Amino acid sequence: MNNFKKNNSAESARLQQLYSVSYASLMSSTLLGVILAYIQHEVIDAAIVITWLTLLLVSSLFRAALAYNYQQTNVDDDASKLWLFRFRLGVLVGSLVWGSASILMFAKDDLSHQLFLIFIIAGLSVGGVVSYAADMRSALIFSSATLTPLALHFFMQTGNLAMAMGAAVTLYFGFIIISLRHINLTITDNIVLRQEAIKREDSVRIKEERYRLLLNHSPVGIFHFDTHYSITYCNEHFSDILKKSVAETIGLNINDLQANAILPTLTYALKGKTLQFEGQFCANASDSNIWIDMSCAPSRNADGKIVGGVAIVRDITDRKQAEEMLRISAIAFESQSGMIVTSADSVILRVNQAFTKMSGYSALEVIGKTPNFLNSGRHNKSFFKAMWQTLKDTGYWQGEIWNQHKNGMVTAEWLTISAVKAPDGRISHYIGTYSDITQNKDAVAEIHRLAYYDPLTNLPNRRLLQDRLGQELAAANRSGMFGAIMFLDLDNFKTLNDTRGHSAGDQLLVEVARRLRSVVREGDVVGRLGGDEFVVILENLSSDAKMAALLTKQIGEKILVTLAKPYIFENYEFHCTTSIGIRLFRENETVEELLKHADLAMYQAKTAGRNTLRFFDPDMQAVVTHRANLEKELRSALELDQLKLYFQPQLCQDRKVGAEALLRWQHPERGLVMPLDFIELAEKSHLILPIGEWVLKMACAQLKAWENQNDTHNLQLAINVSARQFRQPNFVMQIQDILSHYAIKPERLKLELTENLILDNIYDTVEKMHLLREIGVQFSLDDFGTGYSSFAYLTQLPLDQLKIDRSFIHNIGCKPTDAVIVETIIGMAHSLKIEAMAEGVETPEQLAFLEYHGCAAYQGFLFSQPLPIQEFEQLMLT
Ligand code: C2E
Ligand code: MG
Ligand code: MG
């Protein structure tokens, strides 16, 4: 069988059969030989019997060895012939030994022994023929070699019986040969049939095995079900889908799985139709929740009757997820950023709508081209070379790029390029993402402009000026060339602003800026510090200080002339002059210092009568130092109780009706410091707020104290209020609180405000004055006539008094125009029903003039200097 497996030709099968019967035939042959020897030894010489038997045994052993060797050997088709020959040789040897028995063991005169011999040989030959019938020749050799000597032996004897025996043996031989042919054919057919059957079986088995392997290793799940929806077969893949073993799955009913989505498809198959299902497979009974694609077909028996169905299930979860990812990618691709996909050799394969919007090119226009058409020409070759090098090295590049729109416009874009690599590491695509940053750039520029430039005039603002001044200072320091800073302040700006409104003021500033730029050189800096203050920085003037000053003076005078020219607006003309403070620079100084000095020089120019220029000089430095020291000391003056109030009487028709409280600073070294020397400083450093509050409290305390004395209980007290103090949001409340704290009648308190303060913010002023007026507080307009005395605002304000500035009073009798002004102011006050008070009355002539023109209230040295409280009260007694 083993051999047969390896060699399945008919010849081998025949040989196999021949050898496989060898042992049985040899056994029976040997046994028959022993019996024959035993029976014949009674009539045959023992030596012959033993010799024959030995020959038989030897031949049998030889043949058995042959058969054994055959079994042990792997016999192929070629070797079969040799083994067949060996077999036939064995048969020949065996049959010759048996043939010799017809002569050697033949008992001449003993019929019974003769018959026994014939019986044995005939039987043996039949057995041999049957055993070796698979091979005609072996059977022929065996039958002829065993029967021929017997037949010859009879024919050689005399007598009819011997002849008849010889003839019978011959006939017998003939009959065997005829039968042999038939047996041989039958055996050969059998062998062939058996072989074919084995082959068929084998092929079926192989097919089955293949089918089983196929099903089990199939990437799809397969199951068979019967008409009751029970699973009759499934492969491993399907049981995996259900998260069960094959054994657990077979026998399950699909209804029990609660996988309702697939049931209609199975039912369709049972009705003889095929249906495809794609969807989610949620088998509640098996925790399975995947996407599947299922096709189902009916299965029929031999009669064509539907006995169930076959379903093929594919897990398409990955595909679905991939589709989902693709969908997301597609949406992402159509994002707000322009996107472009190219091949490895930069040929455009795909662009999105944002790209079309940004570049102006449609997809059709660009697909198949390289992105070179976007080139704005603003980048040189080395830019692109560096870009490609980075891409090659890192697979990534990002940066700003100027691209050209289809309409020719050049836009700034932020470009990110990523190289897409294939699994083998080769670059397969590039993806470019563009975002338009032109607007960002504009915004950055705008932010820069707002931060460093004055929005109205577009000139550098304070911050940029300081920066530039620092640079110029450093440059001058290095080069040894003087530079100069000019501090400009318009003399009549406020007037225009107040009378014509802010837009007129703005127009003036814009025009001033334009004129300034036109006067100075290209490299010089013109900036606006704020309000009506401008700065000009001149560079590289000269290494000689005098020469530098001369040049600066020339430029400064040119500026004065240019800015003094009339400003023609829509329906009016405006005249404005400028005051300029100049500071030369070259040495190592700070920007702040330079600005401060130029500012100071500008004030000098103002004091000198405006429309002029002044250089900063060492005397000014002394003033600066003095002011700095004063400011420091003033900070502690309040705490050290160095501030005092002096009182100057105010009279009405010779009657002392009140006083003005005037501030004095009792300085330990400087002596009595007058308000003109420190009020402005206090204003600038904000110290005026605590000082002003102190004055208010002291005044109210004094009024309270006067209440109890007969001579003073009706007196009114006027105090001076500074602009910063008045502008405090809680000013009204502060006054109310103090008045109620000291419990004094508000009518006895008079607040002196200046025109400048009132006009600075007329709305705020009107509101606060009315609020205070409602509770009874009185108002006086101080230094009237020095500012912009407008009839219009006078009517809006709840004023009780106009205090004619002492400069006009001073000039009564020596400057007729001032006398006229005084007269006018008195008349104006009368017509507004406001009391007119003259301050700074020093002479009886002045008094006479005032009385003559109807001014009944006075204050001045003619009556009294401002006095300390004791002296003032003393004076009241007289
Ligand atoms: P003002 O309010 O106009 O005060 C009147 C000024 O004229 C006082 O100067 C006073 O001494 C001076 N004066 C009075 N009569 C005569 C006179 O006949 N001839 C001359 N030549 N001068 C006369 P003072 O005390 O030096 O004050 C100057 C300015 O300081 C005040 O002018 C006022 O604006 C301010 N001031 C004084 N005290 C205070 C205060 O407490 N707060 C605020 N904010 N300012 C104050
Ligand atoms: Mg005053
Ligand atoms: Mg005054």
Side-chain angles (χ1 to χ4, degrees):
M1 192 65 184
N2 203 19
N3 283 343
F4 189 80
K5 252 188 209 169
K6 291 169 193 165
N7 189 338
N8 55 3
S9 74
E11 210 52 47
S12 296
R14 198 199 315 269
L15 196 61
Q16 171 73 28
Q17 183 162 341
L18 291 173
Y19 274 109
S20 64
V21 296
S22 280
Y23 293 117
S25 63
L26 282 174
M27 286 278 275
S28 21
S29 154
T30 309
L31 213 61
L32 283 173
V34 171
I35 295 169
L36 180 69
Y38 175 71
I39 298 298
Q40 299 297 88
H41 87 278
E42 292 166 8
V43 286
I44 305 286
D45 186 34
I48 293 171
V49 172
I50 287 168
T51 304
W52 181 81
L53 191 60
T54 306
L55 278 173
L56 181 72
L57 287 175
V58 169
S59 74
S60 295
L61 277 173
F62 162 72
R63 292 180 65 197
L66 204 61
Y68 178 77
N69 269 337
Y70 172 82
Q71 302 286 7
Q72 298 304 315
T73 312
N74 187 5
V75 181
D76 57 20
D77 272 355
D78 296 337
S80 292
K81 284 184 181 149
L82 180 65
W83 281 101
L84 186 61
F85 170 75
R86 286 173 184 164
F87 183 78
R88 287 174 181 164
L89 189 69
V91 170
L92 180 66
V93 171
S95 58
L96 283 174
V97 173
W98 273 106
S100 66
S102 309
I103 297 155
L104 297 174
M105 306 292 266
F106 195 85
K108 249 184 190 169
D109 303 314
D110 189 333
L111 198 60
S112 61
H113 279 91
Q114 284 179 9
L115 283 175
F116 181 72
L117 179 68
I118 291 166
F119 174 74
I120 290 287
I121 286 179
L124 188 84
S125 65
V126 170
V129 164
V130 171
S131 297
Y132 309 135
D135 181 39
M136 273 288 279
R137 288 194 189 169
S138 297
L140 274 174
I141 289 168
F142 190 77
S143 53
S144 55
T146 47
L147 291 176
T148 312
L150 187 65
L152 286 176
H153 201 121
F154 279 121
F155 283 129
M156 279 161 59
Q157 291 197 4
T158 50
N160 289 338
L161 186 63
M163 282 299 136
M165 290 289 269
V169 170
T170 307
L171 279 173
Y172 181 67
F173 179 55
F175 174 72
I176 281 178
I177 286 172
I178 292 163
S179 303
L180 178 64
R181 175 93 196 122
H182 185 71
I183 294 169
N184 177 262
L185 278 176
T186 309
I187 286 177
T188 306
D189 282 353
N190 269 344
I191 286 174
V192 171
L193 283 175
R194 217 182 102 219
Q195 239 188 332
E196 277 175 4
I198 287 169
K199 262 189 197 165
R200 253 199 321 277
E201 258 174 40
D202 218 30
S203 115
V204 167
R205 194 177 44 77
I206 288 168
K207 272 184 193 160
E208 259 183 12
E209 179 73 2
R210 273 193 203 142
Y211 181 64
R212 198 181 58 79
L213 281 172
L214 200 71
L215 288 186
N216 274 343
H217 293 95
S218 156
V220 295
I222 298 169
F223 69 94
H224 294 206
F225 57 95
D226 61 17
T227 49
H228 304 292
Y229 299 97
S230 284
I231 297 172
T232 52
Y233 165 81
C234 80
N235 66 356
E236 279 172 16
H237 202 90
F238 182 70
S239 63
D240 285 348
I241 287 176
L242 293 184
K243 298 189 177 156
K244 292 181 187 297
S245 69
V246 172
E248 283 169 335
T249 310
I250 293 175
L252 269 178
N253 193 293
I254 289 161
N255 285 314
D256 297 339
L257 280 176
Q258 297 171 20
N260 297 339
I262 64 164
L263 269 177
T265 315
L266 305 185
T267 309
Y268 249 73
L270 292 179
K271 288 179 182 165
K273 299 170 192 167
T274 52
L275 187 70
Q276 189 95 10
F277 165 80
E278 184 178 310
Q280 246 173 323
F281 178 71
C282 306
N284 293 349
S286 76
D287 302 338
S288 186
N289 187 357
I290 54 170
W291 279 86
I292 60 159
D293 164 340
M294 186 177 89
S295 50
C296 211
S299 64
R300 299 169 193 271
N301 64 10
D303 303 333
K305 193 181 160 212
I306 293 171
V307 290
V310 182
I312 298 172
V313 182
R314 267 193 309 146
D315 182 348
I316 54 164
T317 311
D318 288 349
R319 195 191 85 199
K320 279 279 167 191
Q321 279 169 354
E323 278 173 8
E324 186 74 354
M325 288 315 291
L326 267 178
R327 206 170 59 81
I328 292 166
S329 303
I331 293 168
F333 188 71
E334 287 303 338
S335 70
Q336 293 307 307
S337 305
M339 286 180 95
I340 186 167
V341 180
T342 75
S343 61
D345 50 357
S346 306
V347 173
I348 297 175
L349 303 174
R350 205 178 153 189
V351 295
N352 68 355
Q353 283 173 5
F355 171 85
T356 301
K357 219 164 127 191
M358 280 170 68
S359 69
Y361 292 98
S362 71
L364 270 178
E365 285 173 295
V366 300
I367 286 173
K369 293 182 184 167
T370 62
N372 288 346
F373 57 86
L374 293 171
N375 200 337
S376 64
R378 288 209 188 175
H379 304 286
N380 54 18
K381 274 187 181 164
S382 62
F383 172 85
F384 290 107
K385 213 173 142 192
M387 181 174 110
W388 281 109
Q389 191 58 48
T390 314
L391 261 177
K392 223 171 99 185
D393 295 345
T394 64
Y396 186 78
W397 182 88
Q398 64 171 349
E400 265 179 45
I401 194 161
W402 290 95
N403 276 341
Q404 191 165 32
H405 191 274
K406 194 180 174 185
N407 63 14
M409 217 172 79
V410 174
T411 51
E413 279 154 20
W414 185 259
L415 171 61
T416 307
I417 309 178
S418 307
V420 181
K421 288 191 175 168
D424 60 3
R426 193 175 39 83
I427 290 174
S428 63
H429 297 87
Y430 291 106
I431 298 175
T433 312
Y434 298 86
S435 44
D436 191 338
I437 53 167
T438 314
Q439 281 182 356
N440 295 8
K441 292 206 112 189
D442 288 349
V444 169
E446 180 63 12
I447 287 165
H448 182 267
R449 203 179 63 75
L450 288 174
Y452 292 103
Y453 289 86
D454 165 40
L456 179 67
T457 59
N458 272 334
L459 292 179
N461 64 8
R462 180 184 289 273
R463 195 189 289 183
L464 186 56
L465 273 173
Q466 284 178 330
D467 193 50
R468 287 283 176 84
L469 191 55
Q471 289 172 15
E472 295 294 345
L473 200 59
N477 212 248
R478 276 198 304 274
S479 67
M481 299 285 277
F482 276 97
I485 170 170
M486 291 181 168
F487 202 109
L488 292 85
D489 189 284
L490 305 182
D491 294 330
N492 336 66
F493 176 69
K494 209 159 177 38
T495 319
L496 177 73
N497 231 6
D498 294 338
T499 54
R500 299 277 178 179
H502 285 283
S503 66
D506 287 353
Q507 263 182 298
L508 177 75
L509 293 172
V510 171
E511 178 59 14
V512 167
R514 195 194 62 75
R515 290 187 190 183
L516 272 176
R517 272 251 58 98
S518 70
V519 174
V520 300
R521 296 170 300 176
E522 186 72 18
D524 297 334
V525 179
V526 177
R528 183 179 169 217
L529 281 185
D532 58 350
E533 292 174 343
F534 291 85
V535 162
V536 174
I537 304 169
L538 306 174
E539 57 169 12
N540 276 336
L541 289 166
S542 167
S543 54
D544 176 53
K546 276 191 185 148
M547 183 55 103
L550 205 68
L551 279 169
T552 311
K553 192 165 175 266
Q554 282 172 2
I555 299 168
E557 280 166 351
K558 206 168 146 194
I559 290 175
L560 287 177
V561 171
T562 312
L563 296 188
K565 284 181 186 160
Y567 295 82
I568 319 285
F569 298 127
E570 260 174 40
N571 46 7
Y572 64 98
E573 197 179 292
F574 184 73
H575 293 265
C576 181
T577 56
T578 311
S579 299
I580 305 177
I582 301 170
R583 169 71 152 86
L584 294 180
F585 60 81
R586 187 176 69 172
E587 310 311 327
N588 220 350
E589 289 163 291
T590 67
V591 168
E592 290 71 32
E593 227 171 0
L594 287 183
L595 276 170
K596 213 158 140 190
H597 291 175
D599 186 17
L600 199 72
M602 190 274 293
Y603 270 102
Q604 293 296 118
K606 287 251 188 232
T607 324
R610 308 176 167 198
N611 194 23
T612 187
L613 54 86
R614 282 289 178 275
F615 278 83
F616 176 82
D617 62 34
D619 291 347
M620 287 183 205
Q621 182 62 57
V623 175
V624 174
T625 320
H626 173 75
R627 278 169 61 107
N629 289 340
L630 210 63
E631 188 183 324
K632 217 161 72 189
E633 289 164 356
L634 187 59
R635 284 185 191 280
S636 45
L638 252 183
E639 287 168 31
L640 297 173
D641 201 20
Q642 291 171 349
L643 297 181
K644 306 273 176 261
L645 277 188
Y646 272 45
F647 298 85
Q648 189 177 32
Q650 293 180 331
L651 295 89
C652 191
Q653 289 168 341
D654 293 339
R655 218 163 36 84
K656 298 181 187 100
V657 290
E660 179 179 7
L662 293 158
L663 193 59
R664 300 290 181 265
W665 179 8
Q666 191 65 55
H667 193 279
E669 286 134 36
R670 298 174 205 265
L672 199 64
V673 184
M674 300 305 276
L676 286 179
D677 294 330
F678 67 89
I679 287 291
E680 193 196 329
L681 191 70
E683 281 257 4
K684 280 197 171 169
S685 60
H686 294 225
L687 278 168
I688 196 70
L689 299 180
I691 291 175
E693 196 182 345
W694 178 84
V695 169
L696 193 63
K697 282 180 181 166
M698 291 305 288
C700 289
Q702 194 55 59
L703 280 171
K704 189 75 202 167
W706 284 343
E707 263 184 15
N708 306 322
Q709 295 169 33
N710 273 344
D711 304 311
T712 52
H713 77 276
N714 276 329
L715 290 181
Q716 246 191 346
L717 190 54
I719 59 164
N720 295 284
V721 175
S722 85
R724 202 179 282 278
Q725 199 182 346
F726 188 77
R727 291 284 163 247
Q728 291 177 99
N730 64 345
F731 180 71
V732 174
M733 199 128 78
Q734 194 183 45
I735 301 270
Q736 280 175 329
D737 288 352
I738 293 171
L739 285 174
S740 61
H741 179 262
Y742 289 98
I744 49 163
K745 289 187 193 135
E747 299 78 37
R748 295 179 61 208
L749 181 69
K750 189 156 62 184
L751 302 182
E752 291 195 4
L753 309 176
T754 62
E755 283 176 286
N756 288 345
L757 177 152
I758 285 168
L759 287 173
D760 182 41
N761 185 344
I762 187 84
Y763 304 105
D764 181 61
T765 309
V766 171
E767 192 190 347
K768 282 180 176 160
M769 282 177 79
H770 277 285
L771 284 171
L772 288 167
R773 184 58 195 270
E774 270 170 34
I775 58 170
V777 175
Q778 304 253 304
F779 285 101
S780 174
L781 189 52
D782 206 354
D783 306 339
F784 188 73
T786 52
Y788 183 76
S789 312
S790 157
F791 206 77
Y793 75 77
L794 284 181
T795 56
Q796 290 179 41
L797 301 172
L799 283 168
D800 300 283
Q801 192 177 62
L802 283 186
K803 263 180 112 174
I804 308 165
D805 190 68
R806 61 180 180 274
S807 59
F808 299 111
I809 307 299
H810 180 79
N811 290 337
I812 292 173
C814 47
K815 199 173 173 191
T817 49
D818 281 7
V820 172
I821 289 173
V822 173
E823 204 184 319
T824 315
I825 294 173
I826 297 168
M828 196 158 90
H830 283 168
S831 62
L832 290 167
K833 299 194 171 50
I834 300 173
E835 182 188 62
M837 173 180 264
E839 65 174 0
V841 181
E842 292 179 353
T843 64
E845 290 77 26
Q846 291 165 354
L847 180 64
F849 178 90
L850 292 164
E851 280 183 329
Y852 178 77
H853 286 99
C855 178
Y858 328 103
Q859 180 183 345
F861 295 164
L862 183 64
F863 313 103
S864 170
Q865 294 270 340
L867 299 169
I869 186 64
Q870 295 85 358
E871 290 176 39
F872 175 80
E873 286 179 346
Q874 202 71 43
L875 183 73
M876 284 295 124
L877 295 173
T878 58

